Amino acid sequence: MREAAEVAGVAPPLRNPFRSIVVRAPELLFAVEEALRLIAEYEQPRPPFAEAEPRAGSGLAGRATP
C-alpha cells in the first residue's frame, strides 16, 4: 500500500480534502489484494461432529413471552 501511495504522490499529512480520493485509491488496492488472498487461501471447513437432519420446529422470535 505504501508503494501505491508513493506512486500516486500521496504522503502524510495530507491536508487537502479534495485529494482524499487519491488517498482512497491505495486503500482500495489493499482491500482488493486482501480479498483475493483470502479467496486463494480458503479451505473448505470440516464437516460437523454430529450429523443431523433438518426438521420442522417452532419459535417465539418477535413475540413477548407472558
Side-chain angles (χ1 to χ4, degrees):
M1 189 163 105
R2 184 175 305 204
E3 293 141 4
E6 289 175 4
V7 168
V10 179
L14 184 64
R15 304 220 189 303
N16 183 344
F18 299 105
R19 295 208 21 124
S20 66
I21 192 71
V22 178
V23 174
R24 300 292 179 240
E27 291 176 352
L28 182 59
L29 177 64
F30 174 76
V32 170
E33 287 177 345
E34 182 66 6
L36 291 172
R37 183 191 67 78
L38 291 171
I39 291 168
E41 294 178 6
Y42 177 76
E43 293 181 12
Q44 193 76 356
R46 290 185 281 179
F49 292 107
E51 294 294 326
E53 289 293 322
R55 60 186 173 127
S58 62
L60 298 175
R63 295 189 340 198
T65 55

